[in-house]
Amino acid sequence: MSGNIQLLSDTLEQAKAENRAALIAYLPAGFPTVDGGIEAVKAVFDGGADVVEVGLPHSDPVLDGPVIQTADDIALRGGVKIADVMRTVREAHEATGKPVLVMTYWNPIDRYGIERFTAELAEAGGAGCILPDLPVQESAVWREHAEKHGLATVFVVAPSSKDERLATITRAGSGFVYAASLMGVTGTRESVGEQAADLVRRTRAASELPVCVGLGVSNAEQAAEVASFADGVIVGSAFVKRMLDADDHAAGVAAVRELAGELARGVRRVS
């Protein structure tokens, strides 16, 4: 039904052909408003992002640090709904032709209905979902519906994941593997750490899927470091912080566009 998982794969393959990592950005839907969030996502694409993850704001984002929690709270107080997430995906994809994923905790999908969610996401042009808290062993029904609608299922691996577990997770996933660079919640870090490179190496030994690294990247130097060993560089909190710190919405949109440009240059550095 949807060829956008192929678009995602082609985008990551194209970056590889250009001898660089893909830049994957994250912004929550409904932040600071639904319209404002859509504008911000388009600006990040305009600045040079290859893929955008649209966050589905959740009242208990256990894996997210204070920056994204603040943005989620603003979105939820603004009344953001799953329909607004789908609209964000649709408008961002239609405006740019680039792959847009949804990053969400499992509970909102479970309550909304798996078939309804996957059908609507595919119809909106979404490329798939990143599901950080859905255990692989409980994911069969989700994966059946996602596959039926041509959606990628991206699972998260961590430095604590044993090799056997990595093999199980990557066999079940599609699109790419999200490698969390360190243990803990999202947020910018002074250093991305050596654990990330080792995790990418071990994940590649278990799977042929592209491996994209997130958690902690906030500037061009860190993006270049991660790009030297990963297929994609995922940046979230740094974009959200630029929006939060801006004097007004227009300044925030300009700031995320600028950051995307800086990071896009970072992932293109040949180490």
Side-chain angles (χ1 to χ4, degrees):
M1 184 174 177
S2 167
N4 287 327
I5 184 174
Q6 188 62 51
L7 175 62
L8 175 64
S9 297
D10 290 347
T11 298
L12 294 170
E13 191 61 39
Q14 180 63 32
K16 184 178 181 181
E18 294 172 6
N19 193 33
R20 66 176 179 88
L23 174 60
I24 303 174
Y26 166 94
L27 281 169
F31 167 70
T33 63
V34 176
D35 288 345
I38 292 168
E39 190 180 357
V41 172
K42 291 178 182 178
V44 166
F45 271 132
D46 187 47
D50 298 290
V51 181
V52 170
E53 304 169 6
V54 171
L56 195 163
H58 188 48
S59 56
D60 186 26
V62 292
L63 297 178
D64 290 309
V67 170
I68 292 176
Q69 285 186 22
T70 299
D72 276 7
D73 186 56
I74 290 168
L76 290 166
R77 283 192 281 113
V80 69
K81 300 285 191 292
I82 287 179
D84 300 314
V85 177
M86 298 299 178
R87 183 184 151 213
T88 302
V89 171
R90 180 192 310 280
E91 294 195 15
H93 173 64
E94 287 181 349
T96 65
K98 294 183 178 180
V100 183
L101 297 146
V102 169
M103 186 165 191
T104 179
Y105 294 95
W106 180 245
N107 182 255
I109 293 178
D110 195 36
R111 291 175 59 186
Y112 196 72
I114 299 172
E115 171 58 21
R116 181 183 177 196
F117 189 93
T118 51
E120 289 183 8
L121 181 56
E123 198 272 331
C129 260
I130 301 166
L131 302 162
D133 66 339
L134 176 63
V136 171
Q137 62 271 23
E138 297 174 18
S139 68
V141 175
W142 160 266
R143 286 187 284 123
E144 177 188 332
H145 286 281
E147 190 173 331
K148 180 172 76 172
H149 291 293
L151 299 170
T153 298
V154 179
F155 288 114
V156 179
V157 298
S160 60
S161 303
K162 305 296 185 193
D163 290 350
E164 185 179 348
R165 179 71 178 159
L166 284 177
T168 300
I169 293 172
T170 56
R171 270 199 308 270
S174 56
F176 64 90
V177 181
Y178 187 127
S181 64
L182 36 75
M183 303 303 292
V185 297
T186 59
T188 60
R189 302 289 197 283
E190 291 298 315
S191 171
V192 178
E194 293 180 9
Q195 291 183 80
D198 180 61
L199 178 57
V200 170
R201 179 189 60 77
R202 293 194 298 117
T203 305
R204 281 185 173 148
S207 173
E208 293 184 356
L209 287 173
V211 184
C212 303
V213 172
L215 271 65
V217 176
S218 61
N219 57 49
E221 288 69 31
Q222 291 173 335
E225 177 193 350
V226 173
S228 70
F229 59 79
D231 299 298
V233 180
I234 303 169
V235 182
S237 295
F239 281 112
V240 176
K241 191 171 190 307
R242 291 278 180 113
M243 295 286 290
L244 288 169
D245 290 348
D247 291 334
D248 56 41
H249 178 63
V253 170
V256 295
R257 183 185 288 108
E258 179 183 37
L259 177 59
E262 294 168 8
L263 294 166
R265 289 189 289 275
V267 300
R268 282 166 170 80
R269 289 184 197 165
V270 179
S271 57

